Amino acid sequence: MGRGASLLRQRDLRGLPGVIAVRPAVRVHRRIAEIGREAWDACAPAGDAYNPFVGFDFLDALEEAQCAVERTGWAPHHLSVLDDDGRVAAVMPLYLKSHSQGEYVFDWNWADAYERAGGQYYPKLQSASPFSPVTGPRLLVRPDVDADAARRVLLSGALQLCERTDASSLHVTFPDEADWRFMGEQGLLQRQDQQYHWVNRGYATFDDFLAALSANRRKTIRRERRDAQAGLDIAAFTGADLTEEHWDAFYRFYMDTGSRKWGSPYLNRTFFSLLGERLADKVLLVMAQRDGRWIAGALNLIGGDSLLGRNWGCVEDVPFLHFELCYYQAIEHAIRLGLARVEAGAQGQHKIARGYLPTAVYSAHWIADPALRGPVARYLEQEREAVRRDMDELTEEHSPFRRGEG
């Protein structure tokens, strides 16, 4: 284990049911490198469940590039648990945060209300893949280890760390449904939201997908694609085909979009080079060129059974080009790669008309102070029901698929 690791002696915390006293202690790591690639990835999902956003290489690149570090308000406090043989049995990506930026699950209203009442909301603990609204496991357990026991140990350690760091709360954002339900059973507050995902219904070609849509939607999508592609060369790069020239161009796009949307982009140029160096075979970078000049691009990562869209940017405004690079090209490549779905990032009801239907995403929250925990619990109960109704209504009223399809 790395020299920077510290120990948390476990005890039952806060009366949460199912969080039990355990030995040995949970270890806290200020760099994921202290745990190491082999040990971390042995706990991360593999095969069809593989998710690059919780893999060692992605998370370590964020730290090495100084994107997810204490200076930026994302201080790593990753947890690990050992088995009886001293091997890492489970891990949890975890950060001590001084703000609520880069999370995509919004708690600013909670922070404002608590601080207006005299409380101190920050620091807080955040289990997440930084800057990535991508669903995946957050309580990562080696396949040969008792999953529920290991998850209880990790969760207990995270709550103990809240006490040690004077954090007001623990937030687990975009966990998979299994982790979300488990944390709910342990007493964490459950939140539900929605994204828009495309599902592969066994299509062999993009035209097969179009055939499942209503006639009007087929016509509209063909027109959008024709207009977007006019006068442009569009290509996709992965593996050895990715070059620093591509990353230079994409970083210009990213900075332009980021500066307009949120003022201070989260990722730096070094991160994209590290991504290309360590995860090139998992990158799908779709780029558009006009007269030999790159003008737009969309970054995707390839999971075990999914294409995970992440960043987009452009330096020329072309009608429908965003739809082409982010949505239609993603569908084409998912079909070609035999992937089950495309997750196209946060927000955007306009995605429904392009075949991306409402899909539930989750978060779980523990708040130390009952004066804040109670109102948040009541709010989340109402919000969950409202989100479910909204998903049903959006699908029923706006689905582009013919009846019986999609």
Side-chain angles (χ1 to χ4, degrees), residues 2 4-5 28-36 40 56 59-66 68-69 75-78 278:
V28 183
H29 306 267
R30 301 303 301 273
R31 280 291 310 270
I32 194 173
E34 295 174 5
I35 300 172
W40 183 279
F56 177 90
L59 297 175
D60 185 56
L62 288 172
E63 293 179 21
E64 185 170 329
Q66 298 292 295
V69 292
H77 282 67
H78 308 303
R278 300 179 182 185

Side-chain angles (χ1 to χ4, degrees), residues 19-133:
V19 180
I20 60 174
V22 294
R23 292 291 187 272
V26 172
R27 285 161 167 77
V28 183
H29 306 267
R30 301 303 301 273
R31 280 291 310 270
I32 194 173
E34 295 174 5
I35 300 172
R37 176 185 289 104
E38 182 178 358
W40 183 279
D41 284 347
C43 301
D48 284 349
Y50 167 72
N51 186 315
F53 288 93
V54 294
F56 177 90
D57 284 328
F58 183 84
L59 297 175
D60 185 56
L62 288 172
E63 293 179 21
E64 185 170 329
Q66 298 292 295
C67 298
V69 292
E70 185 173 6
R71 179 182 58 80
T72 64
W74 287 81
H77 282 67
H78 308 303
L79 304 186
S80 71
V81 177
L82 304 185
D83 63 17
D84 290 340
D85 296 324
R87 298 167 58 211
V88 173
V91 294
M92 181 179 188
L94 195 61
Y95 302 85
L96 188 67
K97 294 208 62 194
S98 58
H99 54 70
S100 291
Q101 298 171 4
E103 298 171 5
Y104 302 93
V105 175
F106 304 117
D107 63 349
W108 290 311
N109 289 340
W110 306 355
D112 290 344
Y114 193 50
E115 295 190 354
R116 277 190 276 105
Q120 183 173 321
Y121 194 74
Y122 304 106
K124 65 177 186 176
L125 282 173
Q126 189 88 20
S127 180
S129 180
F131 324 120
S132 306

Side-chain angles (χ1 to χ4, degrees), residues 21-284:
V22 294
R23 292 291 187 272
V26 172
R27 285 161 167 77
V28 183
H29 306 267
R30 301 303 301 273
R31 280 291 310 270
I32 194 173
E34 295 174 5
I35 300 172
R37 176 185 289 104
E38 182 178 358
W40 183 279
D41 284 347
C43 301
D48 284 349
Y50 167 72
N51 186 315
F53 288 93
V54 294
F56 177 90
D57 284 328
F58 183 84
L59 297 175
D60 185 56
L62 288 172
E63 293 179 21
E64 185 170 329
Q66 298 292 295
C67 298
V69 292
E70 185 173 6
R71 179 182 58 80
T72 64
W74 287 81
H77 282 67
H78 308 303
L79 304 186
S80 71
V81 177
L82 304 185
D83 63 17
D84 290 340
D85 296 324
R87 298 167 58 211
V88 173
V91 294
M92 181 179 188
L94 195 61
Y95 302 85
L96 188 67
K97 294 208 62 194
S98 58
H99 54 70
S100 291
Q101 298 171 4
E103 298 171 5
Y104 302 93
V105 175
F106 304 117
D107 63 349
W108 290 311
N109 289 340
W110 306 355
D112 290 344
Y114 193 50
E115 295 190 354
R116 277 190 276 105
Q120 183 173 321
Y121 194 74
Y122 304 106
K124 65 177 186 176
L125 282 173
Q126 189 88 20
S127 180
S129 180
F131 324 120
S132 306
V134 177
T135 293
R138 298 295 179 255
L139 306 173
L140 282 63
V141 182
R142 221 175 60 217
D144 59 339
V145 172
D146 184 320
D148 283 354
R151 291 193 293 182
R152 288 190 184 97
V153 174
L154 288 170
L155 190 55
S156 181
L159 296 177
Q160 178 74 6
L161 187 59
C162 276
E163 186 171 66
R164 174 187 283 190
T165 58
D166 291 324
S168 71
S169 48
L170 166 68
H171 307 267
V172 185
T173 45
F174 297 99
D176 59 25
E177 187 174 0
D179 276 356
W180 182 71
R181 294 195 180 278
F182 176 83
M183 288 183 285
E185 292 167 359
Q186 309 312 307
L188 273 70
L189 306 181
Q190 292 180 294
R191 192 172 196 180
Q192 183 174 328
D193 202 348
Q194 61 181 306
Q195 290 182 350
Y196 303 91
H197 297 173
W198 176 85
V199 175
N200 188 347
R201 306 294 183 185
Y203 308 122
T205 66
F206 191 87
D207 282 340
D208 289 344
F209 157 65
L210 288 181
L213 305 180
S214 69
N216 285 340
R217 285 313 311 164
R218 285 198 300 273
K219 181 178 179 181
T220 298
I221 289 174
R222 287 189 174 116
R223 175 178 55 79
E224 289 180 352
R225 299 202 72 183
R226 183 178 63 249
D227 291 352
Q229 295 174 8
L232 300 181
D233 295 314
I234 296 175
F237 302 95
T238 189
D241 292 335
L242 283 165
T243 69
E244 288 298 298
E245 176 197 349
H246 299 132
W247 289 123
D248 284 340
F250 183 76
Y251 186 63
R252 290 196 299 273
F253 311 150
Y254 171 76
M255 289 296 293
D256 180 78
T257 298
S259 61
R260 284 186 284 107
K261 278 190 173 182
W262 54 81
S264 179
Y266 304 125
L267 304 173
N268 58 31
R269 179 63 181 83
T270 299
F271 169 77
F272 291 106
S273 286
L274 290 173
L275 188 67
E277 175 185 316
R278 300 179 182 185
L279 284 167
D281 289 343
K282 302 301 180 184
V283 169
L284 181 71

